[in-house]
Amino acid sequence: MKGKAKTALRCAIVMGLCTWIGVAAAQQPDARPWNDSKLSPDARARLLVAQMTQDEKFQLIRSYYAGPDRPSDKPMPKGAIASAGYVPPIERLGIPALEESDAGLGVASSDRMRPGDSATPLPAGPVTAASWDPQVAYRGGAMIGNEAHGKGFNVLLAGGINLMRDPRNGRNFEYAGEDPLLAGTLVGEAIRGIQSQHVISTIKHFALNDQETGRNTISAQIGEKAMRESDLLAFEIAIERGKPGSVMCSYNKVNGDWACENDYLMNQLLKRDWAYPGFVMSDWGGAHSAAKAANAGLDQESAGEIFDKEVYFDAPLRQALARGEVKQSRVDDMVQRILRSMFAAGVFEHPARKAPIDSKANLAVARATLEAGAVLLRNQDGLLPLDAARLESVAVIGAHADKGVLAGGGSSLVTAMGGNAVPGLAPKTWPGPVMYHPYPPLKAIRTMAPKANVQYADGDDVAAAAALAAKSQVAVVFVQKWSTESVDAPDLALPDGQDALVAAVAAANPHTIVVLENGGPVAMPWLDQVGAVLEVWYPGGDAASAIANLLSGKVNPSGRLPMSWARDASQLPRAEIPAATGGTPPDTVDYAIEGADVGYRWFQSRGIKPLFPFGYGLSYTTFHHGPLRLATHDGQLQVAVDVANAGKRAGAEVAQVYVRPPAAKVRRLAGFAKVFLQPGEHRELTIPLEKRLLSDFDTNGHRWLLRGGQYELSEGPSSEDLGAPVSLALPAGP
Ligand code: GLC
C-alpha cells in the first residue's frame, strides 16, 4: 500500500477509534454519578454508598486525632493538617478527606497545634449573643468559615450552644447565654455563615453538658419536658436555622446514659422527631461502646485511637456486625449521613485548600461584632462617652491593658497574628496557655485621645494605681477573669485582688470606668463606687479599637445581656459546683431543680431580683417603645411595636417580646428585633413569635401543645423593663 494511502488508512483507524471511545463514553453511565450536583445530597450519598466496600465504609465512620502531641507510637496520619481531627480520603471514589479544626471563635491554632500559625479571633460567644443581631452572628460564622476553608479545613467544630445554667461554667465564653430562642437563633445563624463557605459546622455539645467539673463522668438529671423546653429547644431552633452537617454528642451522661450512646437523644429526638439528616460525631473521648453506641445513633467516633478506651468503630463494631448485634443497614446509614453532609456543604465541589486570607477585613468583622455586642452596664451622670478630643489626662490600669486583651482557654483558643501578647502565664500547659490577644487598649486610648497624657499602671501596686488615678481626669480600669474548658470557677469573684484595686481607684477618682474581660457574670462589690462599667467579655480581634470607639462614643453600645447577672451565688439554683476546685465530682448534677426555668425564668419563678436582668444594656441615647399591637400574617403570630430614638445620638435598640402563658408564673422570650435609629427617627417593628415558646412540651403526645386561654404578651428593652401587657386568647391544642 502506497505511503499516502497508508497514512490515510491510519487516520481513518484513529478517527474510528476516537469516535468509538467518544460514543462509548457517552453511552457508558458516568463512572461517578454521585458527582451530579443536580441530585439531592441524600440521592448522591445513596449512589456513593452503593459503590463502597466494607473497608471503605469503616474508614469513614471514625476520625483520627491530628494533633502533633500524639504519642510517638501513633504517628500523625498521612495527609492530615495538624489539628483536632482527620478522616483520610478515599481516592478510588473521589471522596475527599475530612480536615477538622476547632472551633466556634475562629480557627483554633493555639500553640498545641501549629506553632506559628495564626487566625482571626472572634470575640467570646456571649458577645455575639449580646448583639441580638442574627446578621452579626452570620457574618462572624462566614468569616471564620472562610478562614478555615483557606487553611484547608472543611469541618469546623463550632456551634457551641449549651445554655448557661451556671455562671461558673468554664465554657460559658464559648456559648450564647441562657435563653433557648436567643441562643438557638444566633448560633443557628453562625452555623449558616460557616457552612456558606463550604465548611461543615457541628453544633455542640449535645446535650446538657452545662458544666465542666466531672464532664467525663457526671450525669445530668432532668425530665424530658424540662429539657425539651430549654437546652434541647436551643438545639432544635439552631438546627432548623443553621442545618449543621454534624452534631457533636457530649462527654456527660443524660439521665444515666452516656450522651454518645443515648437512644433518646440521638435516635428518638434528633433523628426521628427532628428528622435530622446529618451525622453525629462523638466528642474527643466521648465514645464508650460499639454496638450500643451505633444502635443508639452515633455515626462517627472521633479520635478514638487516642481518647477512647479502644477504637470501637473498628474491630469491635465489625464483630458486633458479625454477631448480628448491629445491622449492616446501620453502618450504611452512618456512611450515608456523613456523605450527605459533605455533599450538602459542597465539600466535593469546593475542596478546601490554601488560599489568601484577608486578615484586615476579617479583623473588621471581629471588631464589628464587639461593637455590636459590648454591654454598657452602668453609666452614672453620663460619664461616658468620653469627650476624647478634649481629654487631658487618662489613667489606664490593670489586666495587661498595655499589651493586649484576654482570651478564654481550651480547644477553642485562637492564636491571633502576633501570638501571645503576655506569654508565660500559668497554666502554660492544657488547658492553658493563658492567651492575651495582641490588641493593647492603652495604645488605642492614646490614639483616641491624642492631646491627653495617657499613663498606664499595671495594678499590682494598688497605691501607685490609685495615685495615678487621683491625678488623672478619668481612670479606665481593665479587670480580667480567665475561664477555660475543663474547669469551672469556684465562685463569682474576680481573682488576684482586683476588687481591692477597683475600690482604691474609684476612691481616688469617682470618674472611674471599669472594662470587664471575663467569660461570664462576676461579682462587683465596688459597683456603686464606680462611674461606668463596660462588659466586653473576651473581646477578640482588634478589640482595642472597638473598646476605644465605644468609650469615645464613636460607636454607641447596643449590646443586651444574653444572661442574667446574679448578685451572688446564693441566688443560683445551686450554691456551688461540687468539686469545682478538685476532689471527686459527684455522679450526678440535678438540673430538675430549675428544670426549664434557666436564668431569668429561675429568678422570676423565685421572685429573686438579679443584679442585672437578662436583656439589659444601656445606650448613649434614649429610646421610646410604643404600645404593643397584635398582628397575624398567614398564620404566623406576630406583634408590632413602634420604637423611637428620643435622644441626641444615633444608636441601636433591641425590642424584646415576652409571653406569659395562662396560669404561668414565668414569662419567656418569644421574639425580638434590633433596630438602628438616627436621633428622632422611629420605626415600626414587626416581630414574629416562636410558637414553641407559647407552648408546653407534652411528653405523652410527644408534641408541643398550647394550654389555651389568655396569653399575656409584653414588650420592652429588657426582661424586667416591659410595657403594658396585651392579652391574646388562644385555643388549646397542638
Ligand atoms: C474537646 C471539646 C470539643 C472539641 C474537641 C476537639 O475536648 O469538648 O468542644 O471540639 O475536644 O478538640
Side-chain angles (χ1 to χ4, degrees):
M1 187 182 294
K2 293 279 182 270
K4 270 190 185 165
K6 259 188 186 173
T7 308
L9 178 60
R10 269 198 207 109
C11 274
I13 292 167
V14 166
M15 288 290 286
L17 264 179
C18 291
T19 312
W20 180 78
I21 289 169
V23 166
Q27 278 164 356
Q28 178 197 348
D30 179 346
R32 292 180 170 174
W34 52 86
N35 284 339
D36 176 357
S37 55
K38 292 191 298 302
L39 297 173
S40 74
D42 292 288
R44 298 174 71 179
R46 270 191 295 279
L47 287 168
L48 185 39
V49 173
Q51 298 302 319
M52 294 171 75
T53 66
Q54 189 74 322
D55 284 351
E56 288 165 339
K57 292 173 184 174
F58 267 78
Q59 182 177 315
L60 221 49
I61 61 175
R62 47 86 60 99
S63 66
Y64 292 86
Y65 179 57
D69 53 341
R70 293 172 62 93
S72 53
D73 64 328
K74 294 179 178 169
M76 181 80 105
K78 194 172 62 60
I81 304 172
S83 193
Y86 176 70
V87 179
I90 299 176
E91 315 283 2
R92 182 179 79 84
L93 298 168
I95 300 174
L98 286 180
E99 302 270 9
E100 304 180 342
S101 170
D102 280 308
L105 305 182
V107 181
S109 61
S110 63
D111 295 347
R112 281 189 307 138
M113 290 295 175
R114 299 177 301 280
D117 188 14
S118 65
T120 304
L122 275 178
V127 174
T128 296
S131 77
W132 291 62
D133 186 339
Q135 284 185 9
V136 166
Y138 180 89
R139 286 192 203 112
M143 185 273 278
I144 63 172
N146 183 267
E147 288 208 349
H149 199 267
K151 289 172 179 284
F153 294 109
N154 53 16
V155 178
L156 206 47
L157 304 168
I161 193 170
N162 295 89
L163 292 189
M164 194 189 89
R165 286 182 179 271
D166 197 309
R168 297 159 294 206
N169 177 1
R171 294 187 87 171
N172 284 328
F173 77 93
E174 292 184 56
Y175 303 145
E178 69 191 27
D179 179 78
L181 180 65
L182 181 65
T185 305
L186 294 186
V187 173
E189 285 301 310
I191 289 167
R192 209 164 64 80
I194 289 168
Q195 300 194 147
S196 72
Q197 303 301 308
H198 308 303
V199 172
I200 292 170
S201 181
T202 57
I203 185 167
K204 69 186 187 179
H205 303 84
F206 191 62
L208 280 304
N209 178 187
D210 297 346
Q211 69 175 54
E212 289 300 286
T213 305
R215 66 174 178 167
N216 295 91
T217 54
I218 205 159
S219 178
Q221 304 296 111
I222 184 169
E224 180 184 13
K225 177 178 184 332
M227 64 175 155
R228 284 300 303 266
E229 295 178 359
S230 55
D231 283 72
L232 297 180
L233 181 54
F235 273 95
E236 187 175 8
I237 292 169
I239 288 171
E240 281 168 7
R241 282 193 81 127
K243 298 180 175 42
S246 181
V247 173
M248 186 190 295
C249 51
S250 56
Y251 288 129
N252 57 290
K253 294 175 181 174
V254 178
N255 298 324
D257 249 342
W258 296 113
C260 293
E261 50 186 50
N262 196 300
D263 183 68
Y264 169 75
L265 285 178
M266 296 189 287
N267 280 341
Q268 298 174 45
L269 178 69
L270 182 67
K271 295 180 177 180
R272 183 194 67 194
D273 294 358
W274 297 349
Y276 177 68
F279 69 103
V280 181
M281 65 163 76
S282 64
D283 198 342
W284 273 234
H288 298 273
S289 63
K292 184 175 181 192
N295 288 330
L298 183 64
D299 300 306
Q300 190 180 68
E301 179 181 6
S302 303
E305 84 287 357
I306 303 288
F307 293 91
D308 290 330
K309 288 198 179 67
E310 58 179 310
V311 182
Y312 298 103
F313 280 15
D314 193 357
L317 184 56
R318 290 175 190 267
Q319 288 148 21
L321 263 174
R323 289 196 297 268
E325 292 165 10
V326 176
K327 292 191 175 60
Q328 180 63 42
S329 58
R330 176 74 265 270
V331 172
D332 294 349
D333 178 50
M334 293 173 180
V335 178
Q336 167 74 19
R337 288 171 172 276
I338 294 164
L339 290 172
R340 70 88 48 206
S341 285
M342 292 173 72
F343 285 125
V347 161
F348 282 73
E349 289 78 20
H350 305 272
R353 56 168 66 100
K354 288 267 176 277
I357 285 169
D358 186 345
S359 297
K360 190 164 175 293
N362 292 352
L363 276 174
V365 171
R367 184 179 65 244
T369 303
L370 180 61
E371 289 176 347
V375 182
L376 183 60
L377 293 173
R378 180 183 173 86
N379 188 23
Q380 294 298 93
D381 312 323
L383 174 57
L384 290 177
L386 298 172
D387 184 350
R390 291 183 28 210
L391 269 177
E392 287 167 9
S393 56
V394 181
V396 174
I397 297 164
H400 300 286
D402 60 331
K403 294 199 174 62
V405 290
L406 188 58
S411 57
S412 71
L413 177 61
V414 175
T415 304
M417 197 181 298
N420 191 347
V422 186
L425 296 175
K428 295 179 191 166
T429 56
W430 175 269
V434 176
M435 177 86 68
Y436 275 77
H437 288 140
Y439 312 107
L442 174 63
K443 182 165 175 276
I445 291 172
R446 283 182 168 147
T447 307
M448 170 192 93
K451 279 176 26 195
N453 172 20
V454 182
Q455 294 303 313
Y456 174 70
D458 65 15
D460 291 346
D461 179 339
V462 173
L468 177 62
K471 64 179 185 172
S472 306
Q473 279 174 311
V474 295
V476 186
V477 189
F478 290 82
V479 295
Q480 54 76 22
K481 179 169 188 175
W482 189 65
S483 62
T484 179
E485 175 181 344
S486 80
V487 178
D488 295 322
D491 53 41
L492 298 175
L494 286 174
D496 309 330
Q498 293 177 96
D499 286 335
L501 170 64
V502 174
V505 168
N509 186 333
H511 297 157
T512 291
I513 300 143
V514 176
V515 180
L516 295 167
E517 297 178 18
N518 52 317
V522 292
M524 298 188 273
W526 32 262
L527 182 62
D528 294 340
Q529 282 83 50
V530 301
V533 178
L534 181 67
E535 169 63 271
V536 299
W537 279 286
Y538 300 136
D542 201 15
S545 314
I547 291 167
N549 291 342
L550 290 156
L551 294 177
S552 66
K554 210 167 157 190
V555 170
N556 189 349
S558 64
R560 302 288 181 270
L561 286 179
M563 78 281 282
S564 310
W565 201 290
R567 287 180 189 284
D568 57 52
S570 69
Q571 292 192 324
L572 301 172
R574 283 160 291 279
E576 60 160 17
I577 297 180
T581 51
T584 308
D587 295 337
T588 61
V589 56
D590 182 7
Y591 288 143
I593 292 172
E594 70 276 30
D597 288 343
V598 179
Y600 65 93
R601 293 168 54 167
W602 162 260
F603 288 100
Q604 284 177 26
S605 68
R606 293 294 187 290
I608 302 171
K609 195 156 171 40
L611 184 58
F612 296 110
F614 174 78
Y616 174 86
L618 299 175
S619 172
Y620 296 149
T621 186
T622 50
F623 296 99
H624 175 71
H625 294 237
L628 189 62
R629 287 192 307 290
L630 291 174
T632 51
H633 180 71
D634 60 49
Q636 162 73 26
L637 199 55
Q638 292 177 326
V639 296
V641 60
D642 194 84
V643 179
N645 180 344
K648 296 187 176 53
R649 282 177 180 268
E653 173 67 312
V654 179
Q656 303 166 31
V657 182
Y658 293 83
V659 65
R660 186 202 307 272
K665 275 192 80 174
V666 165
R667 287 186 300 270
R668 308 135 172 215
L669 179 71
F672 62 91
K674 188 168 195 176
V675 63
F676 182 84
L677 296 168
Q678 293 299 338
E681 186 186 3
H682 69 95
R683 188 89 51 80
E684 173 164 284
L685 303 177
T686 303
I687 302 171
L689 301 185
E690 169 49 63
K691 282 205 186 97
R692 282 166 287 198
L693 273 307
L694 282 73
S695 314
D696 305 295
F697 187 74
D698 164 31
T699 50
N700 298 323
H702 232 75
R703 58 191 177 162
W704 293 95
L705 273 184
L706 283 169
R707 302 177 187 185
Q710 294 300 324
Y711 288 74
E712 185 189 279
L713 298 173
S714 38
E715 186 280 335
S718 96
S719 60
E720 293 294 328
D721 180 3
L722 298 170
V726 169
S727 184
L728 167 68
L730 288 174

